[in-house]
Amino acid sequence: MEVDAFRRLFPLRFHERHLLESVRPDARPLGKARDTSLALGAVGSADGSALAKIGCTTMLAAIKMEVMTPANETPDEGCIAIEFHMPAICSPIVRPGRPAEAAPVVSKQLSDTILSSGMIDLKELSLVSGKAAWMAYLDIYCLDADGALFDAALLAAAAAFSHLQIPVVSLNDEGRIVVVSKGEKLKNKPVNEEKRKLKLRSIPFALTCIIHKNYILADPTAEEESIMETLITIVLDSSCQLVSLYKPGGPALAYESIIQDCIALSRQRLRELQTILNEAMCDMEVD
């Protein structure tokens, strides 16, 4: 039987034959992630943006800043709104006109991770206490869904916030704070003199692994995820502290030894992603 036919008819057996040799169909070792790239400033009209690729999985993240009135409970804090989009072009299983089931799940994961990691101090988004603060709208578009969607989306989000430049704002004649357009003459003194970067503290990075029998596969493709259904996602911050551990069911049990092995792989991946992000930021400064 031809290899492609065998792969389609008996996908699990096909992958298990590779696992016996400690290699995967794409020639990767079991614990190795796919090639990863980052490009900052991918959307010129956004205040911050990034294009992240992990293998074929591709995410475009863009941030738009708007002035809002802060909540009474948090007068000195801004807000972040995160939305994850999966258009029909990203995967054959996403139907036009129907929302993808994974989209709200990934949106919630991203919100929980970014806020709980302490990456962004919401007080930095305050403009005038009790009167004005920044609302950061982060939209992430999945352009190609080939596995490990959350990992790529979180990387794109972190890169977009690293690239973010907070706009200049001023008081208008009515006493309201408004964003100053480029080249616009100011009648009043600006609230912030120039665009500024957002100070990021502990940036979170994620690694998703598949658990199948006694094997752990790092950074799975969509095909691997559909065949071997037990996933575990580890999120570590830039100081290697555990932010979250997510296991959405699956037949395999996550024993302590397996979790420790996944965390060890996540630490290796963390160093790789930090280097990739730092290089992307350096390239942006040179440009």
Side-chain angles (χ1 to χ4, degrees):
M1 186 183 294
E2 292 185 4
V3 174
D4 288 342
F6 182 77
R7 185 173 189 167
R8 287 194 299 269
L9 293 172
F10 308 103
L12 183 57
R13 286 173 58 189
F14 174 80
H15 281 79
E16 286 181 337
R17 284 192 178 185
H18 284 80
L19 293 179
L20 291 173
E21 304 295 330
S22 296
V23 71
R24 293 151 83 170
D26 58 8
R28 280 187 293 154
L30 304 189
K32 183 174 176 57
R34 293 168 289 176
D35 291 341
T36 303
S37 63
L38 263 181
L40 304 186
V43 182
S45 58
D47 297 307
S49 62
L51 181 72
K53 291 190 71 175
I54 299 179
C56 290
T57 299
T58 307
M59 299 287 171
L60 178 65
I63 302 171
K64 200 69 179 174
M65 305 294 287
E66 288 190 5
V67 179
M68 66 157 198
T69 302
N72 294 331
E73 299 79 12
T74 53
D76 298 315
E77 293 182 1
C79 288
I80 300 171
I82 300 172
E83 196 70 37
F84 180 75
H85 309 270
M86 290 185 71
I89 60 168
C90 76
S91 171
I93 64 173
V94 179
R95 300 293 299 277
R98 298 181 183 178
E101 292 182 5
V105 177
V106 176
S107 289
K108 182 68 165 59
Q109 270 187 280
L110 287 168
S111 296
D112 292 345
T113 300
I114 290 173
L115 294 175
S116 65
S117 68
M119 177 175 75
I120 298 170
D121 183 0
L122 295 179
K123 291 185 177 179
E124 268 207 64
L125 299 177
S126 177
L127 289 167
V128 178
S129 179
K131 294 184 178 180
W134 285 111
M135 166 69 86
Y137 291 97
L138 169 63
D139 287 285
I140 302 174
Y141 293 88
C142 179
L143 305 182
D144 194 335
D146 189 29
L149 301 187
F150 174 73
D151 302 4
L154 182 60
L155 177 61
F161 276 115
S162 298
H163 174 253
L164 174 65
Q165 288 192 317
I166 298 178
V168 177
V169 292
S170 175
L171 289 170
N172 65 9
D173 294 335
E174 299 174 355
R176 294 181 179 178
I177 290 182
V178 293
V179 177
V180 178
S181 303
K182 188 175 181 180
E184 182 181 347
K185 292 184 179 180
L186 300 179
K187 296 181 181 179
N188 301 304
K189 184 178 178 180
V191 176
N192 53 322
E193 298 288 343
E194 58 184 17
K195 289 186 176 182
R196 64 180 177 90
K197 303 283 284 183
L198 190 64
K199 293 179 182 177
L200 303 183
R201 296 186 289 183
S202 51
I203 300 178
F205 298 98
L207 177 67
T208 296
C209 298
I210 278 181
I211 303 169
H212 182 70
K213 296 183 178 179
N214 295 323
Y215 301 102
I216 298 176
L217 289 73
D219 181 29
T221 62
E223 182 184 17
E224 290 171 335
E225 289 181 351
S226 67
I227 296 166
M228 298 170 278
E229 298 175 349
T230 303
L231 300 176
I232 182 169
T233 299
I234 307 289
V235 181
L236 302 177
D237 65 19
S238 47
S239 57
C240 275
Q241 296 299 309
L242 181 66
V243 175
S244 66
L245 185 155
Y246 181 67
K247 182 181 179 293
L253 297 176
Y255 295 105
E256 183 178 348
S257 59
I258 291 176
I259 292 175
Q260 292 296 339
D261 290 341
C262 290
I263 291 175
L265 290 171
S266 298
R267 289 196 179 105
Q268 296 176 19
R269 182 61 170 160
L270 167 68
R271 291 189 287 270
E272 294 174 6
L273 294 176
Q274 282 179 317
T275 300
I276 291 168
L277 178 57
N278 290 336
E279 288 176 352
M281 292 174 65
C282 288
D283 290 344
M284 192 71 190
E285 290 174 2
V286 170
D287 294 341

